[in-house]
Amino acid sequence: MGIVVQKYGGSSVSDASAIKRVARRIVEAKKAGNDVVVAVSAMGDSTDELLDLASQVSPLPPARELDMLLTSGERISMALVAMAISDLGYSARSFTGSQAGVITDSVHGKAKIIDVTPGRISDALGEGHIVIVAGFQGVSADTKEITTLGRGGTDTTAVALAAALDADVCEIYTDVDGVFTADPRIVPAARKLDRVTYEEMLELAACGAKILHLRCVEYARNHDIPIHVRSSFSQLDGTWVTGSIDDLPEPGTQESSMEQAIIAGVAHDRSEAKVTVVGVPDKVGEAARIFEALSAAQINLDMIVQNVSAAATNLTDISFTLPRSDGQTAMAALAGLQSAVGFDSLLYDDHIGKVSLIGAGMRSHPGVTAKFFSGLAQAGVNIGMISTSEIRISVVVSEEDVDAAVAATHTAFDLDADEVEAVVYGGSGR
Ligand code: ADP
Ligand code: ASP
Ligand code: MG
């Protein structure tokens, strides 16, 4: 008998009838002769609603209390899913992340899973129960506090459970039929990918394609767990996230040009902001002081650009992007440095967006950047910043240009499907 690990996202358990539908699907997997373990997200947009509520009570809630609040969302859905299963005549046991043995570091709000000790899950399976685990949460080994894994973290719970239980695959059920060449909410002509490598999926997730949590893809790659992303609203086969770009046919061979698409997809991200430090003295060590202060404040930067210094003044500007949620912390950390470094001023812009083109084939196909930029130019989109990796090109544009930039890029690379196949079954896209 195999172990099946499934994950249902918030849009798949948004109300009572959705929960009953999901319960029927879970029971099908059990009836097929499997041991079934399910990670569930909070219902619908309830995590956002809890965050809104917290901000009405306090503009900067203590991180520990925020985690206590947010983990309640998954606790509600896990118990309701278990009840709906028992109503179908099957027995289910729900467990919080802590009860399920999800052990994390102690960073509230973006904790990392460091171990999974699934003793209680194995016992419950052994007794014939279906196991439902609250996603997105764990318990810190050091502090014994309850932690959360960051937005979208239930995907990571599911993959970590699949790895700990030695499952063959982790099924991620959501409100679209798989991973598409762009967010189908923005590009209705997006195409479903049958398969995507871990590396390409990592770049897509890191660049804002929230269909999968970044850590979940890292975890799956490290533990060699294939992920099957599919819809809980249809029976269609979804997208398999598996394999490495290193195993693709050798670039330049006939096999590679026949089988391998150059581009996996276009991702966008509206969650970043841009900070510019204006008038930094152009001498050794100044950039280091700025970035040390940001690192001490635990801020992860994305793109960094330093202008050539103006000859007359010997001053330069340094710009970087970072999560909007860290914007105020970063500005405070830099303001404290102004007299020591001697820069002129700080600028903060949160009306930006990032658009990224991702594909293993760009390693061997020249001209991808030129095509990307001319597509943007034809759509009248101005480029603010640029960064690249081996299989990705990203640009920062103004926030209102994001949709147009994604659509233009999708068309420029001939990704548009002839007939619209993308269906968005539910969810608010929030
Ligand atoms: P869940 O509630 O199931 O976790 P999410 O809202 O987190 O679902 O993720 C699913 C959403 O991800 C889709 O509804 C879609 O709008 C968005 N999305 C962004 N990029 C992509 C992509 N490349 N392929 C598919 N969906 C994407
Ligand atoms: N409920 C959490 C969120 O909305 C975790 C998840 O859905 O994966 O981010
Ligand atoms: Mg999600």
Side-chain angles (χ1 to χ4, degrees):
M1 196 154 65
I3 292 192
V4 167
V5 176
Q6 303 183 331
K7 175 258 175 174
Y8 292 91
S11 50
S12 297
V13 293
S14 58
D15 58 21
S17 68
I19 287 175
K20 287 185 179 171
R21 189 173 50 79
V22 160
R24 286 195 292 275
R25 194 149 191 162
I26 296 169
V27 165
E28 287 307 316
K30 175 76 179 167
K31 275 194 201 158
N34 301 294
D35 278 342
V36 185
V37 176
V38 178
V40 284
S41 289
M43 294 171 67
D45 290 333
S46 62
T47 305
D48 290 293
E49 285 152 17
L50 290 172
L51 278 169
D52 290 348
L53 196 57
S55 70
Q56 288 168 41
V57 174
S58 158
L60 206 62
R64 176 188 188 276
E65 303 310 326
L66 202 55
D67 276 355
M68 286 303 237
L69 179 71
L70 295 186
T71 49
S72 69
E74 271 68 13
R75 218 168 147 141
I76 292 173
S77 49
M78 74 175 193
L80 290 172
V81 170
M83 289 174 198
I85 291 172
S86 98
D87 197 55
L88 296 172
Y90 285 76
S91 87
R93 290 277 181 278
S94 67
F95 296 99
T96 63
S98 162
Q99 289 176 318
V102 179
I103 314 289
T104 70
D105 63 18
S106 58
V107 184
H108 286 292
K110 46 182 172 192
K112 257 194 164 140
I113 297 180
I114 51 178
D115 195 12
V116 179
T117 50
R120 292 192 69 178
I121 297 181
S122 304
D123 290 350
L125 290 175
E127 288 160 15
H129 305 297
I130 294 169
V131 171
I132 316 294
V133 178
F136 171 62
Q137 54 183 274
V139 62
S140 158
D142 296 344
T143 61
K144 311 284 179 250
E145 298 289 2
I146 297 298
T147 54
T148 60
L149 309 179
R151 298 305 308 271
T154 303
D155 298 337
T156 304
T157 305
V159 168
L161 291 172
L165 295 164
D166 219 7
D168 292 335
V169 47
C170 180
E171 297 184 329
I172 304 273
Y173 286 92
T174 182
D175 57 6
V176 289
D177 282 313
V179 181
F180 284 74
T181 46
D183 185 343
R185 286 178 207 270
I186 294 193
V187 183
R191 295 175 199 232
K192 188 178 78 182
L193 302 170
D194 292 331
R195 176 190 174 223
V196 63
T197 61
Y198 289 123
E199 289 94 339
E200 288 165 305
M201 194 62 232
L202 277 172
E203 292 278 14
L204 285 165
C207 293
K210 66 172 182 147
I211 181 83
L212 286 179
H213 192 226
L214 176 59
R215 288 251 174 83
C216 125
V217 189
E218 283 170 355
Y219 212 102
R221 185 184 56 172
N222 293 344
H223 293 82
D224 211 8
I225 302 283
I227 304 176
H228 186 189
V229 183
R230 57 195 306 201
S231 169
S232 72
F233 297 79
S234 82
Q235 297 294 332
L236 295 175
D237 254 356
T239 302
W240 286 84
V241 184
T242 184
S244 163
I245 54 171
D246 298 332
D247 305 331
L248 295 174
E250 201 57 35
T253 60
Q254 201 185 357
E255 200 191 0
S256 83
S257 56
M258 279 169 59
E259 286 188 4
Q260 179 58 32
I262 301 171
I263 300 301
V266 187
H268 70 280
D269 189 350
R270 289 180 224 270
S271 70
E272 295 195 338
K274 179 169 90 173
V275 172
T276 304
V277 191
V278 182
V280 182
D282 192 4
K283 55 178 200 253
V284 174
E286 297 300 13
R289 282 160 88 162
I290 289 173
F291 293 112
E292 271 160 17
L294 295 165
S295 142
Q298 303 268 329
I299 295 169
N300 288 324
L301 305 183
D302 183 13
M303 293 190 200
I304 302 171
V305 172
Q306 175 170 340
N307 289 339
V308 179
S309 66
T313 59
N314 208 32
L315 296 178
T316 182
D317 297 343
I318 297 178
S319 296
F320 57 85
T321 60
L322 75 177
R324 273 182 210 176
S325 52
D326 288 335
Q328 292 321 312
T329 317
M331 290 295 275
L334 292 174
L337 221 62
Q338 185 162 12
S339 52
V341 174
F343 60 81
D344 286 342
S345 57
L346 291 171
L347 300 175
Y348 182 72
D349 181 1
D350 58 6
H351 294 287
I352 61 157
K354 188 171 76 172
V355 176
S356 304
L357 182 68
I358 289 128
M362 67 174 76
R363 292 178 299 173
S364 51
H365 285 77
V368 170
T369 312
K371 197 189 257 192
F372 182 27
F373 289 180
S374 65
L376 294 173
Q378 273 167 31
V381 175
N382 192 41
I383 300 171
M385 296 164 91
I386 301 166
S387 81
T388 60
S389 82
E390 196 190 8
I391 58 166
R392 172 186 59 80
I393 312 167
S394 302
V395 293
V396 169
V397 300
S398 89
E399 190 172 13
E400 53 279 12
D401 285 342
V402 168
D403 289 9
V406 173
T409 308
H410 201 265
T411 304
F413 284 90
D414 289 328
L415 297 173
D416 295 344
D418 300 332
E419 278 175 47
V420 171
E421 56 180 66
V423 184
V424 178
Y425 296 93
S428 65
R430 193 170 171 186

